[in-house]
Amino acid sequence: MGNKTVVERDTKSAAGERTLPPLALVGEAPKRFRGTQMAEKRAAREAYENSGHLLADELGRTLDG
């Protein structure tokens, strides 16, 4: 849980490719979290960065350490 690094890269082979389930199967959590992100964006104003990632800190920055 203490890992704050996100590594984005291709898999070593096609066998390592995985398809994630649709967000609908995960439940309503992503929608609720999106609401939290929007509130943080309003509070941070110009300091907020739109990283495009679902999981980001309170300033919208990618969680990459």
Side-chain angles (χ1 to χ4, degrees):
M1 295 300 295
N3 189 349
K4 293 184 178 187
T5 302
V6 176
V7 178
E8 295 182 60
R9 61 178 174 222
D10 288 333
T11 57
K12 292 180 182 178
S13 68
E17 295 287 331
R18 299 290 183 268
T19 301
L20 297 175
L23 288 179
L25 297 177
V26 177
E28 293 295 315
K31 291 179 185 176
R32 285 195 303 271
F33 187 68
R34 184 70 176 146
T36 299
Q37 282 183 318
M38 291 298 99
E40 291 170 344
K41 183 177 182 176
R42 286 189 297 274
R45 297 183 184 170
E46 305 86 37
Y48 194 86
E49 299 175 25
N50 285 312
S51 67
H53 290 268
L54 176 64
L55 298 178
D57 70 9
E58 64 277 359
L59 293 177
R61 298 176 300 210
T62 304
L63 299 175
D64 61 4

